[in-house]
Amino acid sequence: MATIDDVAKAAGVSTSTVSYVLSGKRPISAPTRARVERAIEKLGYRPHAGARALASSRTNVIALMAPLRVGVNVPVIMQFVTGVVTRARDFDHDVLLLTQDDVSGLDRVTGGSMVDALVMMDIEADDPRVPLVAAAKQPTVLIGLPQDPEGLSCVDLDFEAAGRVAVRHLATSGHTDVALIGSPPEVLQRHTSYAERLMRGLRNQAKTSGVTVKVEACDSSPSGAATAVDTLLATAPDITGIIVHNEGALPHVLSRLAERGRVVGTDMSVVAVCPTDVALSQRIPMTSIDLPAEDIGKVAVDMVMTRLEGEHPSETRLLAPVLTERESSAHGPAAVVD
Amino acid sequence: MATIDDVAKAAGVSTSTVSYVLSGKRPISAPTRARVERAIEKLGYRPHAGARALASSRTNVIALMAPLRVGVNVPVIMQFVTGVVTRARDFDHDVLLLTQDDVSGLDRVTGGSMVDALVMMDIEADDPRVPLVAAAKQPTVLIGLPQDPEGLSCVDLDFEAAGRVAVRHLATSGHTDVALIGSPPEVLQRHTSYAERLMRGLRNQAKTSGVTVKVEACDSSPSGAATAVDTLLATAPDITGIIVHNEGALPHVLSRLAERGRVVGTDMSVVAVCPTDVALSQRIPMTSIDLPAEDIGKVAVDMVMTRLEGEHPSETRLLAPVLTERESSAHGPAAVVD
DNA sequence: TAGCGTTGTTGAAACGCTTCGACGATTCCG
DNA sequence: CGGAATCGTCGAAGCGTTTCAACAACGCTA
C-alpha cells in the first residue's frame, strides 16, 4: 500500500502538504493541490485509518449498540440501524455494531478509542449501561429515555403525546370505551420507558376525554395475541376502539378479531403505533401513529455529530407523533352523525 | 488515558514486557506477569486500538456488508447479523457494519486497513462487489454463491439439496402435483443464486420422483401472496402440495389458502423454507426446511478466522438442509394408507 | 525602503503500540 | 566443569499519520 510519503514524493512536496490537502486545514495553492491529487489518484493512496486515529485521536467511527436478539421488533430495529448507518455516512463516519448484551464492549470501544461516539438503542428506565457511557470520554446519544440521563442526549418518539393523540382520535370519533394492547409482559417488566410513557399519555387523555381505557399486555405470538383479544372481549365487551402498540402481535390481533366476528374498520376501530410500512402491510391499511424509526436513527446521528464538533450541551428531543387515518378506524357508538 | 508506558513504569518493567504480557507472544515469569497485571488493573489501562493497528497491521475488526433496505427478509438478515457479530466476539473481533449499496465502502475499509477481513451477504450470481473484494488484501467470505467466486470462500444453505428434499418429502407422502411459491420477481431478476439453485433441485427431484411442479414468483405483500395462490389454484387445480420459499409472503399465503377454503395440513400440504422461528410463528406449526441463518453467519466468521491465521485455501461450504415435519403437511392423494 | 502581515510550504515531533535482535542468567548435557 | 541451549527481559526501531512552530516569498502600508 502506498503511504502518504510516497504521495509526497510523487508530487514533489512535503508530507505535511499532502496531509493538508487531504484535511483542508491549511490553504494550499491550486497547482500544488492538483499535483497532490494526481499523485493520490495514480498511486491509489488511502490513508491508514489506524495511523490517522493515533495521530488525530479521531477514528471516524461511531458505535451503535442494538438489541440483536431475535424477537419482537426486528423490522423496527432494522430501521433504526439503517437510519444510523446511512446518516453516519453522510458525516463520513462508519458504524461499529455492538450487541445489547455485550456490556463490556462499551468499555472496550470507548477505553480503546475505537470510536468517536456512541448511539445506544432500547434504553430501559434504569439502564445499567447509562452510567457506564456517561463516564466515557466519547459523547453518547440514547434512543429512548432513561429515568436519569446523567447528562447524555436522548431522542425518541414522544410516546406520551402519541398516547394522547391515539385516545383523542378515538374519543372524537365517538368511542367511549377503548383499550390498549401493548408490549409483551417482559418488556413491561424491564420498565422500557416507552411503554410507560405511552400509558401515561393514554390515561391522562382518557380522563380528559371522558373515556374508559383498559390495558392488556400482549405476547407477540399468535396465541398471545388471541389471548389478549379474548380477554378483552370477555372482560370489557363494550370496547369499540383498540390501540395496538406491538408490531409483532398486530397481524395476529387482527386475525383474532376477524375470527371473533369483529369487522375491523366497521364495528371495531384499531389504531396501531408502528412504522408506516408495517401499518400498510396488514390485511387492511391501518390507521396508525407512525413510529419513524429510521428518522429517529438519523436524528441520533445528527445529535452525536453536533456534540462531536464543539461543546454543545446535551439535549433531549422527542419527536411529535403523527396520526394517519386509514381504513381500520371509524366512528364509534357516541358519534354525532350528520 | 493511561498508556502502556505508564503501566510499564508502575510495574517496574519495560514497555515490551507489558506488551508481551498482553499478547502472550513471549514467555513471561509468573511474578512479573502478576505485577504487570496489577498495574493494568490499577490504572484501568486499555490498549489504544489505533496504535495497535498501526504497529501490528491487525485491527481485530471485520466488516459485514448487509442489505439494510427495509423489505422482505428482515428477520432473516437480522439472524445472519447476529450470528456474525456474536461469533466474531468469540474471536475477540468487532464488526463494522456496511450497507449493501455502499460499494465504495469496500474500498474505504480495505484500502484504509480499517478491517482484517470481510463478510458479504446476499450475493448475486454476477455480483459487482465480488471482483472488488477479490482484489483486496483482506480475506473475504461470501454468504451466497456467485457464478464465479474468484477465489473467495463461500457459505450458504445447500438450496439445491433443499429443493430435492422438499419435493421428495411431498412425493413420498403421496403428492403427485406440487408447486413452488418463490421469491419476489425482482429477486429472481437479480439472479440471486439461491432462488435458482432451489429451483434446480426442485425440478431434478420432480423428474426423479415423477411429480409435476409448477413455479410461481410471489411478491411479499398480502395481495402478492393472494395473487400467487389464486393463480395456482386456477391454472393447476390438482396441486396438493406447495413449497413456500418467501418468509414475508408465508403468512399471507396461508391466509389466502384458508380464505379459499383449503385446510392446510389436511387437503393442502405446505412446506416452508425459512428459519425455524418463522415456521413456528405461523397460524399452525409449519413443516419446514430450516434456513439456519444464524449458523451460517457463524460459519462465515469461522471461515474468515481460518483464513486469517495461515494460508488456508479458499473453500465453499454448503450446509445440508434439514426438514422437520410439523402440522402443515400430510399424506397426498396417491398415498398408500395402511 | 523598512517593516509587517499574508499565504503557502516545510521539518520534525509526537501519537501508543508491536516486534526484532540482543543479552545476562539459568539450566542442561556430555 | 565448560560450552550450548533456553528463558525472561530489555532497548530501540519502526508503523503512517497529524499538527505545530517556523520560515521563505510576496505584496502592502507608511
Side-chain angles (χ1 to χ4, degrees), chain A residues 70 74-75, chain B residues 71-80 247 275 277-278 293:
Chain A
V70 348
V74 179
Chain B
V72 205
N73 311 304
V74 179
V76 185
I77 292 169
M78 206 70 167
Q79 291 185 33
F80 279 122
E247 291 87 8
D277 63 302
V278 173

Side-chain angles (χ1 to χ4, degrees), chain A residues 239-296:
Chain A
I239 281 171
T240 57
I242 301 182
I243 297 155
V244 180
H245 179 211
N246 184 327
E247 290 88 9
L250 183 53
H252 308 124
V253 166
L254 298 179
S255 293
R256 189 57 174 180
L257 283 171
E259 284 169 22
R260 295 293 305 266
R262 298 301 202 284
V263 181
V264 170
T266 304
D267 49 33
M268 185 63 86
S269 287
V270 179
V271 177
V273 181
C274 66
T276 298
D277 63 302
V278 173
L280 290 176
S281 65
Q282 302 302 319
R283 44 175 61 202
I284 72 169
M286 305 292 299
T287 294
S288 71
I289 293 178
D290 186 27
L291 178 58
E294 189 164 341
D295 284 345
I296 292 177

Side-chain angles (χ1 to χ4, degrees), chain B residues 59-135:
Chain B
T59 63
N60 273 37
V61 173
I62 68 178
L64 169 62
M65 187 169 243
L68 287 188
R69 48 170 173 255
V70 348
V72 205
N73 311 304
V74 179
V76 185
I77 292 169
M78 206 70 167
Q79 291 185 33
F80 279 122
V81 174
T82 304
V84 170
V85 175
T86 58
R87 196 83 183 104
R89 285 305 310 145
D90 293 342
F91 289 98
D92 195 31
H93 280 244
D94 277 291
V95 171
L96 195 78
L97 186 63
L98 259 29
T99 61
Q100 198 88 329
D101 47 282
D102 182 16
V103 178
S104 70
L106 294 175
D107 227 49
R108 180 159 31 88
V109 301
T110 56
S113 300
M114 298 182 72
V115 302
D116 296 337
L118 312 185
V119 173
M120 286 192 350
M121 300 178 46
D122 211 32
I123 300 296
E124 299 174 19
D126 189 29
D127 202 302
R129 298 169 297 162
V130 171
L132 277 181
V133 294

Side-chain angles (χ1 to χ4, degrees), chain B residues 13-14 16-17 26-29 32 54-55:
Chain B
V13 300
S14 75
S16 44
T17 299
R26 292 237 177 137
I28 299 289
S29 69
T32 307
L54 180 56

Side-chain angles (χ1 to χ4, degrees), chain A residues 86-250:
Chain A
T86 59
R87 196 84 183 104
R89 285 306 309 146
D90 293 342
F91 289 98
D92 195 32
H93 280 243
D94 278 292
V95 171
L96 194 79
L97 185 63
L98 260 28
T99 60
Q100 199 88 329
D101 46 282
D102 182 16
V103 178
S104 69
L106 293 175
D107 227 48
R108 179 159 31 87
V109 301
T110 56
S113 300
M114 298 182 72
V115 302
D116 296 337
L118 311 187
V119 172
M120 285 191 351
M121 300 178 44
D122 211 32
I123 300 296
E124 299 173 18
D126 189 28
D127 203 302
R129 298 169 297 163
V130 171
L132 277 181
V133 295
K137 59 179 181 301
Q138 289 92 341
T140 297
V141 170
L142 309 176
I143 296 182
L145 230 52
Q147 217 145 54
D148 177 4
E150 308 194 22
L152 302 175
S153 289
C154 307
V155 55
D156 205 349
L157 175 65
D158 189 340
F159 279 97
E160 193 167 338
R164 277 186 260 120
V165 168
V167 169
R168 198 183 310 134
H169 169 73
L170 290 171
T172 57
S173 45
H175 298 272
T176 53
D177 298 274
V178 307
L180 166 71
I181 290 187
S183 310
E186 32 332 337
V187 171
L188 294 176
Q189 271 155 19
R190 289 205 329 256
H191 292 286
T192 322
S193 74
Y194 62 78
E196 298 178 349
R197 286 182 282 142
L198 184 80
M199 293 213 301
R200 196 180 319 138
L202 224 59
R203 294 205 160 108
N204 286 344
Q205 185 65 41
K207 201 169 299 174
T208 310
S209 300
V211 311
T212 75
V213 55
K214 182 137 182 30
V215 172
E216 201 64 40
C218 177
D219 209 63
S220 308
S221 64
S223 63
T227 309
V229 169
D230 292 347
T231 310
L232 229 42
L233 260 32
T235 62
D238 293 338
I239 281 171
T240 57
I242 301 182
I243 297 155
V244 180
H245 179 211
N246 184 327
E247 290 88 9
L250 183 53

Side-chain angles (χ1 to χ4, degrees), chain A residues 295-326:
Chain A
D295 284 345
I296 292 177
K298 290 188 172 179
V299 170
V301 172
D302 288 342
M303 291 169 74
V304 153
M305 292 300 158
T306 311
R307 304 217 59 188
L308 231 33
E309 52 199 24
E311 267 321 311
H312 301 264
S314 74
E315 50 173 340
T316 291
R317 285 177 57 178
L318 295 181
L319 275 51
V322 176
L323 184 145
T324 305
E325 233 176 310
R326 301 202 184 82

Side-chain angles (χ1 to χ4, degrees), chain B residues 250-333:
Chain B
L250 183 54
H252 308 122
V253 167
L254 298 179
S255 292
R256 188 58 174 181
L257 283 171
E259 284 169 22
R260 295 293 305 266
R262 298 299 201 285
V263 181
V264 170
T266 303
D267 49 31
M268 184 63 86
S269 287
V270 179
V271 177
V273 180
C274 66
T276 298
D277 63 302
V278 173
L280 290 176
S281 65
Q282 303 301 320
R283 44 175 60 202
I284 71 168
M286 305 292 300
T287 293
S288 72
I289 294 179
D290 186 26
L291 178 58
E294 189 164 342
D295 284 344
I296 292 177
K298 290 189 173 178
V299 171
V301 172
D302 288 342
M303 292 170 75
V304 152
M305 292 300 157
T306 310
R307 305 218 59 190
L308 231 31
E309 52 198 25
E311 267 322 311
H312 301 264
S314 74
E315 50 173 339
T316 290
R317 284 178 58 179
L318 296 181
L319 275 49
V322 175
L323 184 144
T324 304
E325 231 176 310
R326 302 203 183 81
E327 298 172 26
S328 66
S329 67
H331 289 302

